[in-house]
Structure formats: C-alpha cells, structure tokens
Amino acid sequence: MRIEDYAIVSDTQTLAIIGVDGSVDWLCFPRFDSGACFAALLGDDSHGRWKIAPRAAVTATRRRYRGDTMVLETELDTADGTIRIIDFMTIRERTPDLVRIVEGVRGRVEVATELVIRFDYGSIVPWVRRVADGDQRLTAIAGIDALVLATPAELRGSDHRTVGTFTVGPGDRVPFALTWYRSHRDIPESPDPEASLAETEAWWRDWAARGHCSGPYRDAVMRSLLVLKSLTYAPTGGIVAAGTTSLPEGLGGVRNWDYRYCWLRDATFTLQAMLHAGYADEARAWRDWLLRAVAGEPEKLQTLYGVAGERRIDERELEWLPGYEGSKPVRIGNGAVGQRQLDIYGEVMDTLLQARLAGLDDELGAWSMQKNCLDWLGKTWREPDQGMWEVRGGPRQFTLSKVMVWAAFDRAVHTVERFGNDGPVDRWRALRDEVHADVLAHGYDANRRAFVQAYGSDLLDASTLLLPLVGFLPPDDPRVVGTIDAIQRELVHAGFVRRYKAGDAENVDGLPGGEGAFLACSFWLADALAMSGRRDEARVIFERLLAVRNPVGLLSEEYDTHAKRLVGNFPQAFSHISLVNTARNLVDDHGPAKQRARRAHR
C-alpha cells in the first residue's frame, strides 16, 4: 500500500505499522530497533504480517484515532455489513502487547484472520504450538524470540501460517492479544483486552491533557505531539527519528536508510517543541538522554546513537527482502554513525543552553563536557565534514556545518554571560567572530545573492534556511532575504522544498537516482518567511504541508511531488517536530524560531 495508507500504534518503546486493509505490516519487538516479526512492509506477506479483515470485498474504509490517543479504529464496509477493528498497544509494564478487537457494527460479517510470524525481518519461521489443552493460546518460538497469542476465535495452522474465520454481528466483540517474551522465560499472562483498552485510552488522554495546545492548528499540533511521544523510548527518554527502516526517499531507488535511532541534530528542535507545549518532563528526559549519549571524548561525538545510547550501529543489507515497491537495498543500522559532522557540536551546545534558559535543572558534568567539546572544536573547525545531510560522496566545507560551529561558540559565550559559568570566554568570542567572518567570506555567493551549500560551490541548499533560525544573521538581512528568494525560485517544486536541485542529488551525495521534497525544509521556509514578516506566504506553505498529512494526521520524511505520495521513513519525527514549531511561529510573535534567534549573539 501507499505509505499514507498506514497508521501506527505504540507503547512508547516500539510501534506497529497497520494498513488501511487491517494488516499489521511492520512490528519490531521489544524495541524500535529490534528485529521485525512482521516485515511485509519491505516485502510481501511471506515476510510476516497479521491481517484481520472481512472475507467479502471491502467497499469503503474509514479510520481515526480515538480523540487525543493512539488507539486506532478502522471501519470496513462490505455488502453484508460493517466491522470495526480497534488496535492499540498497552503501555508497557513488563512485556509488550499488541491488542486487536474486532467489533460488529452493522449486519453480519464473516471475518478472516491470517497471522504470519517471521522473526528476524522475515527470515525465520518459528515453531507454533498450543500452550496446553483447554488454553485458548498459541505460542511461536525461534531463538530468543517468542510470541503468545490469546483469542477466543478458533484458529488452525495452514502452510506455516495461523488462520481462522468467525462471524460478528452488531455489538459482538472478538479480541486478540499478541505478547512478546524471551523464549527461555515462562509464558507471560496475556492482557485482558477490554480492561487494557480502557487503561490505554485513559493513559493517552491524561498525557495529552498535560500539555497546553490551543489556537487554529491545535488538532494538528496535538497529533504531532502524540506521534513524538509514540517515538519516545520511555526507559531512556531517547526519541527515534522514525519507526521504520528503508522506506525509500525515491520510489524504486537506493536511498533507503534505517531511522530507528536517535539523532543529535534533532535535539534543539525537539526540546523546543516539547517545552513550548508544556511537556517539561519529556524535554528533561531528552536532555538527559543526550548527556548520557555524548559522554566521553569530544572527538568521538556521533551524529546518532541507539535508543539507550548505544554507539555501535553497524550498517548491513538484508538481501532476502525485496524492499518497499522494489526499493533496494534494505538496510539495518546506519553507516552515518561513523561520519564527521561538525554541526552536531553546535546542536548540543544550543540544546543545553535552551534547557538552562527554560529552567531545567542543570546536570552535573554537563558544562565540563561542553568545554572539552569546545576545546576540540577550536582546533578542528576548519576541517571538512559530511554535513547535515550525511552525504556519502566525500567530506566538504559545508556552509551549514560552519554556521553551527559558530553557534557552538556563540552559545558558550551566552552561557557564561547569562549563568556565570567558567571558561575562556574571550577566546570563544574571538573564535565566534572568526567563524562568522569565514562563513560570510566563503559561504555566500555575491553573484547569486545567496548562501550556497559549500565553500566554492554554486549549489543552493535548503539547510541555509536555518541561518536566521539559529541567529547567525537577522531575518531581514539582505543576504538572508536573497537566500530565501533564491531557494523559492530554484528549490521549490509544486509548492514543496527540495534539499537541493533534483539533478544535483547524485553529485552531492554520491548515490544514483533522486528523492522527494524534504518536508522539514518546507517548514523551515515557512519559519524563515514568518520571521521576516511575510506571514501570509508562510501560512500558505504551512497549510499546504497540513494537506499532505495522511487521513489520521501522520507525515513521513519526504513528499514525491510527481507521484503525489509520501515517501521516506514513517512516521518521521523531524517532520512532526517541525510542524509543532512552525505552527507556534505562525500564531505567536515570540515563537520558537524568534526565541532561539534572539538569544544568539551576532
């Protein structure tokens, strides 16, 4: 199916991707980055899925989340009647559970279920057996992984699949509960589906009520915040970039990456989104995750980490999976973990300053770590890197990387001046000024009247939209205005912003083929326009972005303007973070972008 035909449910440690046809096509237990037991999303039903649907042809479908929750309802109409499938994951106490309840709505409908369990991303067929005589439960075991399924429905084995049929009329409810456990442990108790439904719905409603969302974009913002909570790994506070791997940036292409990890680059935007919505606990947990992850030698700072701060995230290809719509290779792990990306130092410094300004309790050892990073950065900032887009075509002098080096020293100076922290502030001021002058001398093309992607290049890059957002120059500076106008002329296609020109993609990142428009870049354009007083233009872009959300309010990483489809990993945290912050920038004169830029020293 199209990516926009999917929705998610989550227990804030992993998530399930569920199609509009009633099929769970992606599920990793017990963590976001664990091996998938359902991987049909990147192959077909033989790679694992769990489908529940009417046996007769479906004539219409409706989907929604129950209010401000992550409890999903899918209604399927047939000539015989209508059923409703209620999907959710219990908020985990010990073991992860996926619960599905089939409810009769109208008429009498015959329903079929097909459970195809394939551990390790579709590569391992488990042993399946009944738990015991009289027990309506089945177990599936292979290696360390085990699942137990509890349901009153009659099931049978067929060709390494578990199948069954049943009929529901108005008010009938047939529950299913699938629970993961380690195979050497005792089989856990299965949850009570109806009690768990009430508890899960109440948990999400209580969480949503803790925030303060209002204004014309309230519903879109709250849905995005719920997605961000769904992408949070609760035990550590880390937030994964997306719930999937290898959904392509270009259909049929090779830009297929694993995003089930936590990126430092997302840190400041994430912190702002959570703080401004009233979720200080989540912001603090994210800040604390960041500090634990980056602890150690400054030269070994990574762009991404595992959900618990793991550093070894080796990339490999799964050759047995054909990929989403033939997009190969399918990758797990991410080779960008070993790249040098200087912009992340500025991101870390900015995040920790924003946390202090917001009144979050300072973490012991944080400032010492920051000073070590600055000492190292002061010696190495002139070196090339792979940039924020993690290009695989070799290091360059990327403009945005240097701008964020400037931000690192700028935030250090601000921390000393505002909070009295100790440090060589005169040296940091001098370095800040030196980097600033360097960017103006080499990153700005006077002939094009715009900042360019890298020193010596004439290519535009949407990342330069961040210059006013981080306070490098005022939003009304002619060089910023010229950059915005140039990006609008050359990088906007069908109303959406590309990272760089489609024809330049292969030269930039060393990979064949193209990609869609990067949704976060379109939000950044709206932010930059709003900051420069062009709010009407910004609002048009924002409304266009809202219109490409799927029917339940979710966004992927990119948008294919030719096929008019969502592409890239899903749901994408950066897209939803950007939505939250841009909505605030449009309705609040003191929104996140202006607050971040105003606190910078020029």
Side-chain angles (χ1 to χ4, degrees):
M1 291 179 294
R2 299 176 307 165
I3 291 172
E4 49 264 51
D5 291 331
Y6 287 101
I8 67 165
V9 295
S10 170
D11 65 355
T12 70
Q13 295 189 46
T14 190
L15 56 75
I17 306 280
I18 306 173
V20 73
D21 63 345
S23 181
V24 183
D25 284 354
W26 182 258
L27 176 59
C28 300
F29 276 143
R31 304 191 336 177
F32 294 107
D33 57 350
S34 299
C37 60
F38 302 140
L41 182 67
L42 301 178
D44 55 40
D45 58 0
S46 69
H47 298 107
R49 72 166 185 178
W50 182 10
K51 186 172 184 178
I52 299 177
R55 293 195 69 185
V58 174
T59 57
T61 306
R62 294 169 298 280
R63 307 190 90 179
R64 70 181 184 101
Y65 286 108
R66 286 189 170 184
D68 293 337
T69 78
M70 295 304 295
V71 177
L72 178 69
E73 290 187 349
T74 304
E75 288 190 354
L76 302 167
D77 294 342
T78 72
D80 300 321
T82 301
I83 67 167
R84 178 181 298 123
I85 304 174
I86 304 167
D87 288 306
F88 63 95
M89 298 186 78
T90 61
I91 301 303
R92 193 182 310 185
E93 294 183 358
R94 290 180 300 171
T95 55
D97 308 294
L98 172 62
V99 179
R100 315 193 73 187
I101 300 173
V102 182
E103 178 183 16
V105 176
R106 178 183 61 84
R108 293 193 62 78
V109 181
E110 189 176 13
V111 181
T113 178
E114 181 184 54
L115 177 65
V116 185
I117 298 171
R118 299 292 184 265
F119 291 120
D120 192 29
Y121 303 100
S123 67
I124 299 175
V125 180
W127 290 349
V128 179
R129 63 182 178 87
R130 293 196 179 276
V131 173
D133 291 341
D135 194 333
Q136 290 286 86
R137 297 198 297 170
L138 302 173
T139 61
I141 294 175
I144 196 172
D145 292 301
L147 292 169
V148 57
L149 174 68
T151 178
E154 291 293 331
L155 302 176
R156 61 183 176 83
S158 175
D159 192 23
H160 300 294
R161 302 169 184 229
T162 300
V163 299
T165 59
F166 55 94
T167 301
V168 293
D172 293 340
R173 292 166 76 94
V174 179
F176 298 79
L178 187 69
T179 301
W180 179 91
Y181 64 102
R182 297 195 181 277
S183 59
H184 60 279
R185 302 284 189 185
D186 291 338
I187 300 173
E189 291 295 321
S190 297
D192 179 310
E194 297 293 349
S196 296
L197 173 59
E199 292 167 2
T200 302
E201 187 171 355
W203 189 92
W204 283 108
R205 290 189 186 279
D206 289 346
W207 185 85
R210 283 175 38 211
H212 42 255
C213 287
S214 60
Y217 305 118
R218 186 266 174 200
D219 290 344
V221 169
M222 177 50 69
R223 180 52 54 197
S224 290
L225 290 167
L226 288 162
V227 170
L228 294 179
K229 184 64 173 176
S230 298
L231 293 171
T232 301
Y233 185 65
T236 66
I239 301 176
V240 297
T244 57
T245 179
S246 298
L247 290 181
E249 296 176 8
L251 296 171
V254 300
R255 290 179 172 85
N256 315 318
W257 314 111
D258 192 347
Y259 277 11
R260 298 170 299 156
Y261 307 105
C262 307
W263 264 255
L264 297 189
R265 184 169 297 109
D266 303 357
T268 302
F269 286 113
T270 303
L271 192 83
Q272 287 184 314
M274 289 299 186
L275 284 173
H276 292 147
Y279 292 104
D281 289 345
E282 283 72 15
R284 183 179 293 105
W286 171 243
R287 188 276 314 269
D288 291 348
W289 172 87
L290 181 148
L291 288 173
R292 292 191 301 270
V294 305
E297 302 168 84
E299 64 268 25
K300 294 183 179 178
L301 202 68
Q302 298 180 180
T303 185
L304 65 134
Y305 295 83
V307 294
E310 296 89 350
R311 293 171 179 247
R312 295 192 182 276
I313 308 175
D314 297 331
E315 183 178 302
R316 63 190 180 93
E317 297 178 4
L318 305 183
E319 66 280 356
W320 62 86
L321 285 173
Y324 179 84
E325 295 196 9
S327 305
K328 295 188 72 172
V330 171
R331 298 180 174 94
I332 60 172
N334 198 305
V337 71
Q339 291 184 353
R340 169 172 289 183
Q341 298 177 23
L342 294 177
D343 65 293
I344 61 176
Y345 291 88
E347 201 65 46
V348 169
M349 294 295 297
D350 197 9
T351 300
L352 296 179
L353 173 61
Q354 301 294 334
R356 290 186 178 100
L357 290 168
L360 298 185
D361 297 335
D362 212 350
E363 183 77 11
L364 290 175
W367 183 240
S368 177
M369 177 274 294
Q370 290 177 260
K371 290 192 295 182
N372 287 337
C373 286
L374 291 165
D375 288 343
W376 180 83
L377 195 60
K379 302 170 186 175
T380 59
W381 71 268
R382 290 187 178 277
E383 296 181 8
D385 70 342
Q386 270 86 12
M388 76 171 300
W389 302 129
E390 300 170 358
V391 301
R392 302 198 175 196
R396 302 175 194 180
Q397 300 284 2
F398 286 101
T399 300
L400 196 276
S401 294
K402 305 307 184 190
V403 168
M404 292 309 296
V405 169
W406 168 88
F409 293 116
D410 178 79
R411 276 41 170 186
V413 171
H414 196 125
T415 302
V416 171
E417 293 176 346
R418 176 68 180 269
F419 298 99
N421 294 44
D422 66 296
V425 67
D426 289 338
R427 181 169 181 268
W428 291 339
R429 288 193 185 102
L431 281 165
R432 180 184 65 185
D433 294 344
E434 184 180 357
V435 177
H436 197 275
D438 191 72
V439 172
L440 294 181
H442 303 290
Y444 180 75
D445 187 330
N447 292 325
R448 305 205 68 186
R449 298 182 181 179
F451 285 93
V452 290
Q453 182 181 77
Y455 291 5
S457 169
D458 63 354
L459 300 181
L460 294 179
D461 191 308
S463 67
T464 56
L465 290 167
L466 294 174
L467 269 63
L469 274 64
V470 301
F472 183 81
L473 286 172
D476 58 355
D477 185 285
R479 291 162 293 190
V480 170
V481 174
T483 300
I484 294 172
D485 291 342
I487 286 173
Q488 285 185 300
R489 287 193 308 270
E490 299 186 30
L491 300 189
V492 173
H493 183 268
F496 297 89
V497 182
R498 294 184 178 274
R499 295 190 292 181
Y500 26 74
K501 275 188 177 180
D504 295 330
E506 186 170 343
N507 293 329
V508 171
D509 57 29
L511 294 171
E515 61 180 21
F518 200 81
L519 293 176
C521 295
S522 297
F523 285 111
W524 298 343
L525 176 58
D527 293 333
L529 289 169
M531 289 181 71
S532 61
R534 298 157 68 177
R535 283 180 175 268
D536 289 343
E537 293 178 65
R539 192 168 287 107
V540 169
I541 294 171
F542 186 70
E543 297 285 353
R544 185 182 299 123
L545 286 159
L546 293 184
V548 300
R549 293 175 302 152
N550 79 352
V552 290
L554 308 186
L555 288 170
S556 65
E557 179 187 22
E558 300 185 6
Y559 183 70
D560 186 324
T561 55
H562 297 289
K564 294 181 170 51
R565 292 178 55 180
L566 294 176
V567 291
N569 282 302
F570 173 86
Q572 179 79 2
F574 214 10
S575 298
H576 286 281
I577 291 165
S578 300
L579 186 156
V580 172
N581 287 328
T582 302
R584 180 79 181 270
N585 292 331
L586 288 175
V587 301
D588 189 344
D589 288 335
H590 304 286
K594 284 195 175 179
Q595 288 186 21
R596 186 180 187 186
R598 188 183 302 117
R599 289 163 178 166
H601 287 244
R602 300 188 182 92

